[in-house]
Amino acid sequence: MNKILTKPKVKNEIITSPSHMLDLKSYIGGHWLDGSGDREISSINPADTRETIGVFKSASQKEATQAIAVAEQSFPTWRATPAPVRGRIVQKALEIARKRKAELARLMTREEGKILSEAAGEIEKGNNLLEWYGGEGLRFMGQTAPSELPRNLLYTVRQPLGVVSIITPWNFPWAIPCWKIAPALVAGNTIVFKPASNTPAMAVEFVKILEEAGLPQGVLNLVLGSGSSVGSVLVEDARLRAVSFTGSNEIGKGVYQNAGRRGIKVTCEMGGKNPCVVWEDADIPLALIGVLKGAFGSTGQRCTATSRLLLHEKIAEEFLDKLLAEVKKIKVGNGLDPEVGMGPVVDSKQFETVLNYVEIGKREGAKLLFGGKKITQGDLKHGYFLEPTVFDQVTPKMRVFQEEIFGPVLSVVRVKSFEEAVNVSNAVRFGLTSAIYTQDLTLGMRYSEEVQAGMVHVNSPTIGGEAQVPFGGMKESGVGEREMAKEGILFFSEPKTVFLDYTGQKRQSNVY
Ligand code: UN1
Protein backbone atom coordinates (compact mmCIF):
# COMPACT_ATOMS: atom_id res chain seq x y z
CA MET A 1 0.00 0.00 0.00
CA ASN A 2 3.02 2.27 -0.26
CA LYS A 3 1.86 3.39 -3.69
CA ILE A 4 -0.47 6.26 -3.05
CA LEU A 5 -2.32 5.70 -6.28
CA THR A 6 -2.55 2.83 -8.73
CA LYS A 7 0.19 2.18 -11.28
CA PRO A 8 0.26 4.47 -14.30
CA LYS A 9 -0.75 3.02 -17.63
CA VAL A 10 1.35 5.51 -19.54
CA LYS A 11 4.80 5.01 -20.97
CA ASN A 12 7.82 5.93 -18.90
CA GLU A 13 10.06 8.35 -20.75
CA ILE A 14 12.48 10.88 -19.35
CA ILE A 15 13.60 13.63 -21.67
CA THR A 16 16.57 15.59 -20.41
CA SER A 17 18.19 16.72 -23.61
CA PRO A 18 18.30 20.53 -23.91
CA SER A 19 17.26 20.16 -27.55
CA HIS A 20 13.79 19.31 -26.25
CA MET A 21 13.56 22.60 -24.43
CA LEU A 22 10.36 24.30 -25.47
CA ASP A 23 10.25 27.84 -26.79
CA LEU A 24 7.09 29.05 -25.05
CA LYS A 25 5.12 32.08 -26.17
CA SER A 26 2.09 34.14 -25.28
CA TYR A 27 -0.88 33.85 -27.66
CA ILE A 28 -2.75 37.01 -28.54
CA GLY A 29 -5.28 37.42 -31.34
CA GLY A 30 -4.27 34.05 -32.78
CA HIS A 31 -0.53 34.88 -32.88
CA TRP A 32 2.22 33.30 -30.80
CA LEU A 33 4.55 36.03 -29.58
CA ASP A 34 7.28 36.85 -27.07
CA GLY A 35 6.43 39.09 -24.15
CA SER A 36 8.12 42.49 -23.94
CA GLY A 37 8.89 42.19 -20.22
CA ASP A 38 12.47 42.33 -19.05
CA ARG A 39 12.64 38.76 -17.76
CA GLU A 40 13.28 35.44 -19.41
CA ILE A 41 11.60 32.76 -17.30
CA SER A 42 12.46 29.06 -17.33
CA SER A 43 10.13 26.26 -16.44
CA ILE A 44 12.27 23.80 -14.48
CA ASN A 45 11.63 20.15 -13.68
CA PRO A 46 11.23 20.10 -9.87
CA ALA A 47 12.37 16.46 -9.76
CA ASP A 48 15.62 17.32 -11.51
CA THR A 49 16.47 20.98 -11.71
CA ARG A 50 19.11 20.23 -14.35
CA GLU A 51 16.26 19.85 -16.82
CA THR A 52 14.65 22.96 -18.26
CA ILE A 53 11.26 22.16 -19.77
CA GLY A 54 10.85 25.46 -21.55
CA VAL A 55 11.66 29.14 -21.60
CA PHE A 56 9.52 32.19 -22.24
CA LYS A 57 9.99 35.93 -22.39
CA SER A 58 7.72 37.39 -19.78
CA ALA A 59 4.77 39.47 -20.90
CA SER A 60 4.50 42.99 -19.53
CA GLN A 61 1.46 45.18 -18.94
CA LYS A 62 1.63 45.99 -22.66
CA GLU A 63 0.70 42.43 -23.73
CA ALA A 64 -1.88 42.11 -20.94
CA THR A 65 -3.61 45.28 -22.16
CA GLN A 66 -3.32 44.21 -25.78
CA ALA A 67 -4.86 40.82 -24.96
CA ILE A 68 -7.84 42.53 -23.31
CA ALA A 69 -8.29 44.78 -26.37
CA VAL A 70 -8.23 41.78 -28.73
CA ALA A 71 -10.68 39.90 -26.53
CA GLU A 72 -12.98 42.91 -26.56
CA GLN A 73 -12.88 43.12 -30.38
CA SER A 74 -13.57 39.39 -30.66
CA PHE A 75 -16.53 39.43 -28.31
CA PRO A 76 -19.42 40.46 -30.64
CA THR A 77 -18.78 37.63 -33.12
CA TRP A 78 -18.22 35.01 -30.43
CA ARG A 79 -21.31 36.16 -28.55
CA ALA A 80 -23.34 35.77 -31.74
CA THR A 81 -22.01 32.25 -32.37
CA PRO A 82 -24.76 29.83 -31.28
CA ALA A 83 -24.04 28.21 -27.92
CA PRO A 84 -24.27 24.64 -29.34
CA VAL A 85 -21.58 25.57 -31.89
CA ARG A 86 -19.39 26.97 -29.11
CA GLY A 87 -19.93 23.75 -27.15
CA ARG A 88 -18.92 21.64 -30.12
CA ILE A 89 -15.51 23.34 -30.25
CA VAL A 90 -14.99 22.29 -26.63
CA GLN A 91 -16.08 18.76 -27.57
CA LYS A 92 -13.54 18.73 -30.38
CA ALA A 93 -10.84 19.86 -27.91
CA LEU A 94 -11.85 16.93 -25.70
CA GLU A 95 -11.34 14.52 -28.61
CA ILE A 96 -7.83 15.85 -29.18
CA ALA A 97 -6.98 15.86 -25.46
CA ARG A 98 -8.12 12.25 -25.09
CA LYS A 99 -5.78 11.15 -27.89
CA ARG A 100 -2.89 13.06 -26.33
CA LYS A 101 -3.56 11.99 -22.75
CA ALA A 102 -0.36 9.98 -22.16
CA GLU A 103 1.89 12.65 -23.62
CA LEU A 104 0.17 15.47 -21.69
CA ALA A 105 0.51 13.48 -18.46
CA ARG A 106 4.26 13.04 -19.01
CA LEU A 107 4.70 16.73 -19.66
CA MET A 108 2.77 17.53 -16.48
CA THR A 109 4.95 15.22 -14.39
CA ARG A 110 8.10 16.81 -15.79
CA GLU A 111 6.85 20.34 -15.33
CA GLU A 112 4.89 20.17 -12.06
CA GLY A 113 6.37 17.08 -10.40
CA LYS A 114 3.26 15.05 -9.50
CA ILE A 115 3.62 11.32 -10.16
CA LEU A 116 2.56 10.03 -13.55
CA SER A 117 -0.58 8.23 -12.34
CA GLU A 118 -1.74 11.44 -10.64
CA ALA A 119 -0.97 13.45 -13.77
CA ALA A 120 -2.97 10.99 -15.89
CA GLY A 121 -5.79 11.23 -13.34
CA GLU A 122 -5.74 15.00 -13.60
CA ILE A 123 -5.93 14.91 -17.42
CA GLU A 124 -8.90 12.58 -17.08
CA LYS A 125 -10.58 14.92 -14.62
CA GLY A 126 -10.03 17.94 -16.88
CA ASN A 127 -11.40 15.95 -19.80
CA ASN A 128 -14.54 15.13 -17.82
CA LEU A 129 -15.02 18.86 -17.43
CA LEU A 130 -14.58 19.43 -21.18
CA GLU A 131 -17.18 16.70 -21.73
CA TRP A 132 -19.66 18.28 -19.32
CA TYR A 133 -19.24 21.82 -20.61
CA GLY A 134 -19.18 20.78 -24.27
CA GLY A 135 -22.72 19.47 -23.66
CA GLU A 136 -23.71 22.63 -21.80
CA GLY A 137 -23.73 24.41 -25.16
CA LEU A 138 -27.03 22.60 -25.82
CA ARG A 139 -28.39 23.52 -22.41
CA PHE A 140 -27.56 27.23 -22.29
CA MET A 141 -31.17 27.91 -21.41
CA GLY A 142 -33.32 30.44 -19.73
CA GLN A 143 -36.74 29.93 -18.19
CA THR A 144 -40.30 30.87 -18.87
CA ALA A 145 -42.47 32.09 -16.02
CA PRO A 146 -46.22 32.59 -15.64
CA SER A 147 -46.94 36.31 -15.71
CA GLU A 148 -49.37 38.12 -13.43
CA LEU A 149 -50.96 39.47 -16.64
CA PRO A 150 -52.75 37.69 -19.46
CA ARG A 151 -51.04 37.54 -22.86
CA ASN A 152 -47.72 38.46 -21.44
CA LEU A 153 -44.83 36.14 -22.15
CA LEU A 154 -42.32 36.34 -19.38
CA TYR A 155 -39.00 34.62 -20.00
CA THR A 156 -35.28 34.78 -19.39
CA VAL A 157 -32.30 34.13 -21.61
CA ARG A 158 -28.70 33.78 -20.46
CA GLN A 159 -26.09 36.03 -21.96
CA PRO A 160 -22.30 36.13 -21.73
CA LEU A 161 -20.57 38.77 -19.64
CA GLY A 162 -17.91 39.99 -22.10
CA VAL A 163 -14.16 39.88 -21.54
CA VAL A 164 -13.16 37.78 -18.54
CA SER A 165 -9.77 37.07 -17.04
CA ILE A 166 -8.76 33.67 -15.76
CA ILE A 167 -5.83 33.29 -13.39
CA THR A 168 -4.73 29.75 -12.54
CA PRO A 169 -2.22 28.08 -10.19
CA TRP A 170 0.53 25.55 -10.94
CA ASN A 171 -0.77 22.59 -8.94
CA PHE A 172 -3.54 21.54 -11.36
CA PRO A 173 -2.18 22.94 -14.63
CA TRP A 174 -4.67 21.03 -16.81
CA ALA A 175 -7.84 20.51 -14.75
CA ILE A 176 -8.21 24.07 -13.47
CA PRO A 177 -7.91 25.72 -16.91
CA CYS A 178 -10.49 23.16 -18.12
CA TRP A 179 -12.93 23.98 -15.35
CA LYS A 180 -12.68 27.73 -15.79
CA ILE A 181 -12.07 28.22 -19.51
CA ALA A 182 -14.57 25.67 -20.86
CA PRO A 183 -17.63 27.23 -19.16
CA ALA A 184 -16.43 30.75 -19.97
CA LEU A 185 -16.18 29.83 -23.67
CA VAL A 186 -19.43 27.92 -23.90
CA ALA A 187 -21.26 30.82 -22.23
CA GLY A 188 -19.89 33.10 -25.00
CA ASN A 189 -17.20 35.14 -23.23
CA THR A 190 -13.81 36.05 -24.61
CA ILE A 191 -10.84 35.38 -22.39
CA VAL A 192 -7.45 36.50 -21.19
CA PHE A 193 -5.77 33.54 -19.48
CA LYS A 194 -2.78 33.91 -17.17
CA PRO A 195 -1.38 30.62 -15.85
CA ALA A 196 1.17 30.31 -13.06
CA SER A 197 4.65 31.14 -14.31
CA ASN A 198 6.09 27.74 -13.29
CA THR A 199 3.71 25.65 -15.43
CA PRO A 200 3.65 27.57 -18.74
CA ALA A 201 4.20 24.52 -20.97
CA MET A 202 0.94 22.89 -19.86
CA ALA A 203 -0.92 26.16 -20.48
CA VAL A 204 0.53 26.43 -23.98
CA GLU A 205 -0.63 22.87 -24.76
CA PHE A 206 -4.10 23.68 -23.48
CA VAL A 207 -4.37 26.70 -25.78
CA LYS A 208 -2.91 24.80 -28.77
CA ILE A 209 -5.57 22.13 -28.37
CA LEU A 210 -8.36 24.71 -28.46
CA GLU A 211 -6.71 26.37 -31.46
CA GLU A 212 -6.62 23.00 -33.25
CA ALA A 213 -10.25 22.40 -32.27
CA GLY A 214 -11.20 25.48 -34.31
CA LEU A 215 -11.57 28.23 -31.71
CA PRO A 216 -11.63 31.55 -33.63
CA GLN A 217 -8.65 33.88 -33.19
CA GLY A 218 -8.89 36.37 -30.35
CA VAL A 219 -11.43 34.42 -28.30
CA LEU A 220 -8.84 32.89 -25.98
CA ASN A 221 -5.65 34.83 -25.30
CA LEU A 222 -2.74 33.57 -23.26
CA VAL A 223 -0.45 35.89 -21.33
CA LEU A 224 2.69 34.25 -19.96
CA GLY A 225 3.97 36.49 -17.23
CA SER A 226 5.06 36.66 -13.67
CA GLY A 227 4.53 39.00 -10.78
CA SER A 228 1.90 41.47 -9.85
CA SER A 229 2.24 43.96 -12.70
CA VAL A 230 0.64 41.70 -15.34
CA GLY A 231 -1.77 40.30 -12.74
CA SER A 232 -2.96 43.74 -11.72
CA VAL A 233 -3.98 44.60 -15.30
CA LEU A 234 -5.96 41.36 -15.43
CA VAL A 235 -7.91 42.36 -12.35
CA GLU A 236 -8.17 46.13 -12.74
CA ASP A 237 -8.68 46.90 -16.44
CA ALA A 238 -12.07 48.59 -16.81
CA ARG A 239 -12.99 46.44 -19.83
CA LEU A 240 -13.06 43.22 -17.79
CA ARG A 241 -16.48 41.92 -16.76
CA ALA A 242 -15.34 39.11 -14.47
CA VAL A 243 -12.27 37.59 -12.86
CA SER A 244 -11.92 33.92 -11.97
CA PHE A 245 -8.95 33.11 -9.76
CA THR A 246 -7.58 30.04 -7.99
CA GLY A 247 -4.61 30.43 -5.69
CA SER A 248 -3.52 31.58 -2.27
CA ASN A 249 -5.64 33.62 0.15
CA GLU A 250 -2.93 36.25 0.18
CA ILE A 251 -3.30 37.01 -3.53
CA GLY A 252 -7.00 36.13 -3.70
CA LYS A 253 -7.81 38.82 -1.17
CA GLY A 254 -6.34 41.52 -3.42
CA VAL A 255 -8.19 40.05 -6.41
CA TYR A 256 -11.64 40.12 -4.82
CA GLN A 257 -11.15 43.48 -3.17
CA ASN A 258 -10.15 45.09 -6.46
CA ALA A 259 -12.77 43.35 -8.54
CA GLY A 260 -15.43 43.96 -5.88
CA ARG A 261 -14.60 47.67 -5.76
CA ARG A 262 -15.42 47.88 -9.45
CA GLY A 263 -18.59 45.85 -9.00
CA ILE A 264 -17.65 43.08 -11.42
CA LYS A 265 -18.21 39.39 -10.87
CA VAL A 266 -15.44 37.55 -9.11
CA THR A 267 -14.83 34.01 -7.99
CA CYS A 268 -11.79 33.17 -5.90
CA GLU A 269 -11.02 29.61 -4.92
CA MET A 270 -8.39 29.75 -2.22
CA GLY A 271 -6.91 27.85 0.70
CA GLY A 272 -7.95 24.88 2.75
CA LYS A 273 -6.97 23.19 6.00
CA ASN A 274 -9.08 20.12 5.54
CA PRO A 275 -9.92 17.71 8.36
CA CYS A 276 -10.31 13.98 8.08
CA VAL A 277 -11.99 12.30 11.06
CA VAL A 278 -11.34 8.62 11.67
CA TRP A 279 -13.98 7.34 14.06
CA GLU A 280 -13.64 4.41 16.46
CA ASP A 281 -15.83 2.18 14.26
CA ALA A 282 -14.06 3.08 10.98
CA ASP A 283 -12.98 0.50 8.45
CA ILE A 284 -9.30 1.00 9.29
CA PRO A 285 -7.68 -0.26 6.05
CA LEU A 286 -10.05 1.96 4.04
CA ALA A 287 -9.34 4.97 6.25
CA LEU A 288 -5.59 4.38 5.92
CA ILE A 289 -5.78 4.52 2.13
CA GLY A 290 -7.89 7.67 2.32
CA VAL A 291 -5.56 9.46 4.71
CA LEU A 292 -2.46 8.52 2.70
CA LYS A 293 -4.00 9.71 -0.58
CA GLY A 294 -5.47 12.80 1.00
CA ALA A 295 -2.34 13.92 2.83
CA PHE A 296 0.47 12.87 0.49
CA GLY A 297 -1.18 12.62 -2.94
CA SER A 298 0.15 15.41 -5.21
CA THR A 299 2.80 15.85 -2.47
CA GLY A 300 0.12 17.54 -0.36
CA GLN A 301 0.06 20.44 -2.81
CA ARG A 302 -3.65 20.75 -3.30
CA CYS A 303 -6.15 22.99 -1.60
CA THR A 304 -8.21 19.87 -0.91
CA ALA A 305 -5.35 18.00 0.80
CA THR A 306 -5.99 16.33 4.15
CA SER A 307 -3.86 18.41 6.46
CA ARG A 308 -5.53 17.65 9.80
CA LEU A 309 -6.21 14.10 10.97
CA LEU A 310 -8.71 13.84 13.82
CA LEU A 311 -8.45 10.42 15.44
CA HIS A 312 -10.93 8.99 17.88
CA GLU A 313 -8.84 8.40 20.99
CA LYS A 314 -9.83 4.72 21.19
CA ILE A 315 -8.19 3.84 17.86
CA ALA A 316 -5.56 6.61 17.78
CA GLU A 317 -2.51 4.54 18.78
CA GLU A 318 -3.40 1.61 16.54
CA PHE A 319 -4.15 3.88 13.60
CA LEU A 320 -0.97 5.92 13.98
CA ASP A 321 1.18 2.78 14.15
CA LYS A 322 -0.33 1.52 10.92
CA LEU A 323 -0.18 4.92 9.26
CA LEU A 324 3.49 5.40 10.11
CA ALA A 325 4.34 1.95 8.79
CA GLU A 326 2.79 2.96 5.45
CA VAL A 327 4.26 6.47 5.40
CA LYS A 328 7.75 5.02 5.86
CA LYS A 329 7.20 2.85 2.79
CA ILE A 330 6.30 5.74 0.46
CA LYS A 331 9.02 5.92 -2.15
CA VAL A 332 9.82 9.56 -2.86
CA GLY A 333 11.37 10.40 -6.21
CA ASN A 334 10.90 11.34 -9.85
CA GLY A 335 7.23 10.81 -10.71
CA LEU A 336 8.13 9.28 -14.09
CA ASP A 337 9.38 6.21 -12.21
CA PRO A 338 6.36 3.92 -11.77
CA GLU A 339 7.64 2.73 -8.38
CA VAL A 340 7.56 6.23 -6.93
CA GLY A 341 4.62 7.10 -4.65
CA MET A 342 5.31 10.80 -4.01
CA GLY A 343 7.01 13.40 -6.19
CA PRO A 344 8.86 16.62 -5.29
CA VAL A 345 7.39 19.92 -4.18
CA VAL A 346 7.16 22.38 -7.02
CA ASP A 347 10.00 24.84 -6.46
CA SER A 348 12.54 26.24 -4.03
CA LYS A 349 10.06 28.69 -2.51
CA GLN A 350 7.61 25.92 -1.67
CA PHE A 351 10.48 23.78 -0.44
CA GLU A 352 11.57 26.47 2.03
CA THR A 353 7.99 27.20 3.12
CA VAL A 354 7.34 23.57 4.03
CA LEU A 355 10.67 23.19 5.85
CA ASN A 356 9.93 26.38 7.74
CA TYR A 357 6.56 24.99 8.88
CA VAL A 358 8.31 21.86 10.12
CA GLU A 359 10.47 24.10 12.35
CA ILE A 360 7.44 26.08 13.48
CA GLY A 361 5.63 22.84 14.41
CA LYS A 362 8.59 21.62 16.42
CA ARG A 363 8.97 24.96 18.21
CA GLU A 364 5.26 25.04 19.05
CA GLY A 365 5.58 21.67 20.79
CA ALA A 366 4.00 19.33 18.22
CA LYS A 367 5.64 15.91 18.23
CA LEU A 368 7.35 15.04 14.97
CA LEU A 369 6.58 11.36 14.41
CA PHE A 370 8.17 11.07 11.00
CA GLY A 371 9.75 13.08 8.20
CA GLY A 372 10.40 16.79 8.11
CA LYS A 373 13.69 16.62 6.24
CA LYS A 374 15.04 17.19 2.75
CA ILE A 375 15.98 14.07 0.83
CA THR A 376 19.34 14.38 -0.86
CA GLN A 377 20.51 10.86 -1.64
CA GLY A 378 21.86 10.24 -5.13
CA ASP A 379 20.03 12.01 -7.93
CA LEU A 380 17.37 13.25 -5.54
CA LYS A 381 19.74 16.03 -4.53
CA HIS A 382 18.89 17.67 -7.85
CA GLY A 383 15.19 18.00 -6.98
CA TYR A 384 12.93 19.48 -4.29
CA PHE A 385 12.30 16.30 -2.37
CA LEU A 386 10.93 16.18 1.15
CA GLU A 387 9.98 13.33 3.42
CA PRO A 388 6.28 12.82 4.05
CA THR A 389 5.80 14.36 7.48
CA VAL A 390 3.51 13.55 10.40
CA PHE A 391 3.10 15.68 13.53
CA ASP A 392 1.27 14.28 16.57
CA GLN A 393 -0.09 16.09 19.61
CA VAL A 394 -1.11 19.10 17.60
CA THR A 395 -3.52 21.55 19.25
CA PRO A 396 -5.86 24.10 17.63
CA LYS A 397 -3.70 26.97 18.85
CA MET A 398 -0.70 25.87 16.78
CA ARG A 399 0.11 27.38 13.41
CA VAL A 400 0.55 23.89 11.92
CA PHE A 401 -3.11 23.31 12.83
CA GLN A 402 -4.38 26.68 11.56
CA GLU A 403 -2.36 27.56 8.47
CA GLU A 404 -2.29 26.06 5.00
CA ILE A 405 1.17 24.55 4.46
CA PHE A 406 0.62 23.24 0.91
CA GLY A 407 3.03 20.35 1.26
CA PRO A 408 3.24 16.79 2.59
CA VAL A 409 2.64 17.61 6.26
CA LEU A 410 -0.12 16.00 8.31
CA SER A 411 -1.12 17.27 11.77
CA VAL A 412 -2.76 14.78 14.13
CA VAL A 413 -5.25 15.65 16.89
CA ARG A 414 -7.10 13.16 19.13
CA VAL A 415 -10.79 13.61 19.88
CA LYS A 416 -13.10 12.00 22.42
CA SER A 417 -16.64 12.87 21.36
CA PHE A 418 -18.60 13.66 18.21
CA GLU A 419 -19.11 17.26 19.38
CA GLU A 420 -15.37 17.64 19.82
CA ALA A 421 -14.73 16.20 16.35
CA VAL A 422 -17.10 18.77 14.85
CA ASN A 423 -15.71 21.66 16.91
CA VAL A 424 -12.10 20.80 16.13
CA SER A 425 -12.96 20.36 12.43
CA ASN A 426 -14.55 23.82 12.39
CA ALA A 427 -11.88 25.62 14.42
CA VAL A 428 -10.06 27.14 11.43
CA ARG A 429 -10.77 30.06 9.10
CA PHE A 430 -11.02 27.72 6.09
CA GLY A 431 -13.93 25.51 5.02
CA LEU A 432 -13.14 23.83 1.73
CA THR A 433 -13.52 20.09 2.13
CA SER A 434 -13.66 17.46 4.87
CA ALA A 435 -13.97 13.73 5.42
CA ILE A 436 -15.18 11.26 8.00
CA TYR A 437 -14.51 7.54 8.15
CA THR A 438 -17.22 5.69 10.07
CA GLN A 439 -19.50 2.72 9.52
CA ASP A 440 -22.31 4.48 11.33
CA LEU A 441 -24.35 6.22 8.64
CA THR A 442 -26.18 8.37 11.20
CA LEU A 443 -22.88 9.73 12.46
CA GLY A 444 -21.65 10.31 8.92
CA MET A 445 -24.80 12.23 8.06
CA ARG A 446 -24.66 14.30 11.25
CA TYR A 447 -21.06 15.19 10.47
CA SER A 448 -21.95 16.16 6.91
CA GLU A 449 -24.63 18.50 8.30
CA GLU A 450 -22.48 20.16 10.92
CA VAL A 451 -19.04 20.48 9.39
CA GLN A 452 -18.29 23.91 7.94
CA ALA A 453 -17.05 22.86 4.51
CA GLY A 454 -18.23 23.25 0.95
CA MET A 455 -17.64 19.54 0.32
CA VAL A 456 -17.91 16.53 2.64
CA HIS A 457 -16.75 12.98 1.99
CA VAL A 458 -18.09 10.07 4.00
CA ASN A 459 -15.65 7.14 3.74
CA SER A 460 -13.55 8.73 0.97
CA PRO A 461 -10.57 11.13 1.03
CA THR A 462 -10.91 14.92 1.23
CA ILE A 463 -9.45 15.36 -2.27
CA GLY A 464 -11.22 15.46 -5.59
CA GLY A 465 -14.47 16.50 -7.15
CA GLU A 466 -16.59 15.58 -10.13
CA ALA A 467 -17.45 17.75 -13.12
CA GLN A 468 -21.20 17.62 -12.57
CA VAL A 469 -21.27 18.85 -8.96
CA PRO A 470 -20.22 22.22 -7.50
CA PHE A 471 -16.68 22.63 -6.22
CA GLY A 472 -15.69 25.26 -3.66
CA GLY A 473 -15.58 26.19 -0.04
CA MET A 474 -17.14 28.08 2.83
CA LYS A 475 -15.54 30.73 5.05
CA GLU A 476 -12.20 32.02 3.80
CA SER A 477 -11.76 29.15 1.32
CA GLY A 478 -13.79 30.89 -1.32
CA VAL A 479 -15.54 34.02 -2.50
CA GLY A 480 -18.19 34.17 -5.21
CA GLU A 481 -20.00 31.46 -7.14
CA ARG A 482 -18.93 27.83 -6.75
CA GLU A 483 -17.14 26.30 -9.74
CA MET A 484 -17.75 23.33 -12.05
CA ALA A 485 -21.22 21.91 -12.78
CA LYS A 486 -24.06 24.34 -13.69
CA GLU A 487 -22.51 26.89 -11.36
CA GLY A 488 -19.64 27.42 -13.79
CA ILE A 489 -22.07 28.47 -16.50
CA LEU A 490 -24.06 30.63 -14.08
CA PHE A 491 -20.92 32.50 -13.06
CA PHE A 492 -19.83 33.21 -16.63
CA SER A 493 -23.24 34.43 -17.80
CA GLU A 494 -26.09 36.61 -16.62
CA PRO A 495 -29.84 36.37 -17.06
CA LYS A 496 -31.86 38.84 -19.07
CA THR A 497 -35.58 38.96 -18.29
CA VAL A 498 -37.88 39.71 -21.22
CA PHE A 499 -41.49 40.94 -20.83
CA LEU A 500 -43.29 40.31 -24.11
CA ASP A 501 -46.76 41.82 -24.11
CA TYR A 502 -48.89 40.47 -26.94
CA THR A 503 -52.31 41.87 -25.93
CA GLY A 504 -51.98 44.50 -28.65
CA GLN A 505 -53.94 47.02 -26.59
CA LYS A 506 -53.64 49.30 -23.58
CA ARG A 507 -54.00 47.41 -20.34
CA GLN A 508 -56.50 48.41 -17.67
CA SER A 509 -54.14 47.53 -14.89
CA ASN A 510 -50.45 47.00 -14.79
CA VAL A 511 -48.63 45.13 -12.07
CA TYR A 512 -45.20 46.55 -12.91
C1 UN1 B 1 -8.82 18.07 -6.41
O1 UN1 B 1 -8.65 17.88 -5.22
O2 UN1 B 1 -9.09 17.14 -7.16
O3 UN1 B 1 -5.90 24.08 -6.10
C2 UN1 B 1 -8.72 19.37 -7.06
C3 UN1 B 1 -6.42 23.05 -5.71
C4 UN1 B 1 -7.86 22.85 -6.07
C5 UN1 B 1 -8.06 21.69 -6.92
C6 UN1 B 1 -8.20 20.44 -6.17
N1 UN1 B 1 -8.32 24.02 -6.72
O4 UN1 B 1 -5.79 22.22 -5.10
Side-chain angles (χ1 to χ4, degrees):
M1 215 160 57
N2 61 336
K3 293 278 304 142
I4 295 175
L5 293 172
T6 50
K7 281 199 178 221
K9 292 185 191 71
V10 285
K11 213 173 88 201
N12 181 5
E13 178 184 303
I14 304 180
I15 302 168
T16 45
S17 153
S19 61
H20 286 92
M21 199 193 292
L22 302 165
D23 178 19
L24 303 166
K25 293 186 188 295
S26 292
Y27 181 73
I28 299 173
H31 303 287
W32 294 95
L33 48 89
D34 285 327
S36 64
D38 48 14
R39 289 179 61 198
E40 186 168 270
I41 299 179
S42 300
S43 162
I44 305 286
N45 181 347
D48 187 339
T49 55
R50 294 169 299 180
E51 186 192 15
T52 300
I53 309 297
V55 179
F56 67 90
K57 296 211 173 57
S58 176
S60 66
Q61 294 200 340
K62 182 177 151 218
E63 286 80 30
T65 309
Q66 196 187 340
I68 293 171
V70 166
E72 192 183 37
Q73 283 155 20
S74 311
F75 179 59
T77 310
W78 186 239
R79 177 185 192 272
T81 304
V85 176
R86 298 193 298 244
R88 249 164 247 135
I89 293 176
V90 171
Q91 282 165 0
K92 178 74 192 161
L94 166 65
E95 231 174 79
I96 302 167
R98 278 196 175 136
K99 286 200 189 107
R100 294 187 52 196
K101 180 176 168 185
E103 171 211 340
L104 290 169
R106 278 201 304 279
L107 178 64
M108 190 190 304
T109 294
R110 289 169 56 226
E111 186 169 57
E112 196 272 352
K114 66 179 68 178
I115 62 173
L116 202 47
S117 55
E118 290 170 342
E122 183 187 335
I123 302 289
E124 188 73 35
K125 178 180 179 151
N127 289 354
N128 290 345
L129 284 145
L130 297 180
E131 185 175 19
W132 170 267
Y133 284 119
E136 282 293 279
L138 294 165
R139 296 184 291 264
F140 193 54
M141 302 178 198
Q143 294 178 318
T144 58
S147 171
E148 297 281 355
L149 301 172
R151 295 189 174 160
N152 196 36
L153 177 60
L154 197 48
Y155 69 95
T156 66
V157 287
R158 294 209 72 88
Q159 296 197 320
L161 304 173
V163 182
V164 300
S165 73
I166 289 180
I167 304 171
T168 60
W170 45 263
N171 65 333
F172 281 84
W174 177 259
I176 295 179
C178 287
W179 87 47
K180 291 181 188 290
I181 291 173
L185 287 176
V186 170
N189 303 280
T190 52
I191 300 169
V192 182
F193 167 33
K194 185 197 166 301
S197 58
N198 42 7
T199 48
M202 282 304 294
V204 164
E205 290 312 309
F206 181 86
V207 173
K208 278 190 184 160
I209 286 173
L210 275 156
E211 184 186 43
E212 191 185 332
L215 193 68
Q217 296 187 339
V219 173
L220 173 62
N221 303 281
L222 171 71
V223 175
L224 296 181
S226 165
S228 57
S229 74
V230 171
S232 66
V233 174
L234 299 186
V235 176
E236 286 166 21
D237 190 287
R239 292 166 292 185
L240 294 168
R241 303 312 313 149
V243 183
S244 177
F245 166 88
T246 294
S248 68
N249 280 68
E250 228 180 317
I251 298 179
K253 199 169 174 180
V255 171
Y256 66 73
Q257 282 175 350
N258 279 314
R261 217 177 1 250
R262 294 192 18 246
I264 63 168
K265 279 179 123 177
V266 59
T267 181
C268 289
E269 205 259 285
M270 300 176 287
K273 190 73 191 178
N274 311 297
C276 175
V277 177
V278 180
W279 206 244
E280 57 177 319
D281 66 348
D283 174 333
I284 300 289
L286 184 73
L288 274 171
I289 294 171
V291 171
L292 286 167
K293 271 193 183 181
F296 305 115
S298 301
T299 321
Q301 301 177 115
R302 60 207 290 176
C303 56
T304 54
T306 301
S307 48
R308 295 180 295 142
L309 174 61
L310 279 51
L311 295 177
H312 190 286
E313 59 170 6
K314 285 202 186 134
I315 48 98
E317 288 306 323
E318 175 202 346
F319 192 84
L320 276 179
D321 284 349
K322 292 190 169 144
L323 181 71
L324 285 182
E326 293 303 326
V327 170
K328 286 176 189 164
K329 284 191 237 161
I330 295 174
K331 184 172 174 199
V332 180
N334 189 322
L336 290 176
D337 173 352
E339 294 307 314
V340 162
M342 191 176 93
V345 297
V346 74
D347 59 18
S348 60
K349 185 168 166 261
Q350 208 58 34
F351 196 58
E352 292 311 321
T353 304
V354 178
L355 287 169
N356 189 35
Y357 269 110
V358 171
E359 290 314 308
I360 291 171
K362 286 198 247 175
R363 269 206 308 276
E364 287 177 317
K367 185 172 166 202
L368 183 63
L369 292 185
F370 186 76
K373 292 192 293 297
K374 298 177 189 177
I375 307 177
T376 51
Q377 287 105 302
D379 272 352
L380 298 197
K381 65 175 171 297
H382 298 295
Y384 302 116
F385 294 102
L386 290 170
E387 293 170 335
T389 301
V390 183
F391 273 119
D392 193 13
Q393 292 170 21
V394 173
T395 66
K397 285 208 175 69
M398 294 180 185
R399 287 181 63 191
V400 288
F401 178 97
Q402 291 291 341
E403 297 175 19
E404 183 176 49
I405 298 174
F406 225 66
V409 182
L410 181 65
S411 294
V412 182
V413 183
R414 287 141 208 257
V415 291
K416 294 189 190 62
S417 66
F418 178 74
E419 288 64 33
E420 192 184 1
V422 170
N423 290 338
V424 172
S425 293
N426 292 343
V428 293
R429 64 190 176 111
F430 301 106
L432 185 58
T433 169
S434 56
I436 184 165
Y437 282 85
T438 175
Q439 302 198 54
D440 177 348
L441 190 55
T442 306
L443 198 87
M445 289 306 293
R446 279 178 60 205
Y447 185 77
S448 76
E449 272 170 27
E450 292 183 35
V451 71
Q452 293 166 351
M455 298 170 285
V456 192
H457 294 257
V458 179
N459 295 325
S460 60
T462 56
I463 52 175
E466 296 192 32
Q468 64 279 22
V469 283
F471 181 100
M474 295 178 175
K475 295 157 89 178
E476 291 185 36
S477 287
V479 168
E481 187 74 71
R482 293 280 196 273
E483 300 192 90
M484 309 217 261
K486 274 271 173 224
E487 279 75 358
I489 293 283
L490 294 180
F491 175 76
F492 286 112
S493 62
E494 55 194 343
K496 181 178 274 176
T497 306
V498 183
F499 302 81
L500 200 162
D501 185 329
Y502 57 98
T503 50
Q505 60 193 54
K506 185 174 177 294
R507 289 193 188 274
Q508 295 308 315
S509 64
N510 194 331
V511 285
Y512 308 142

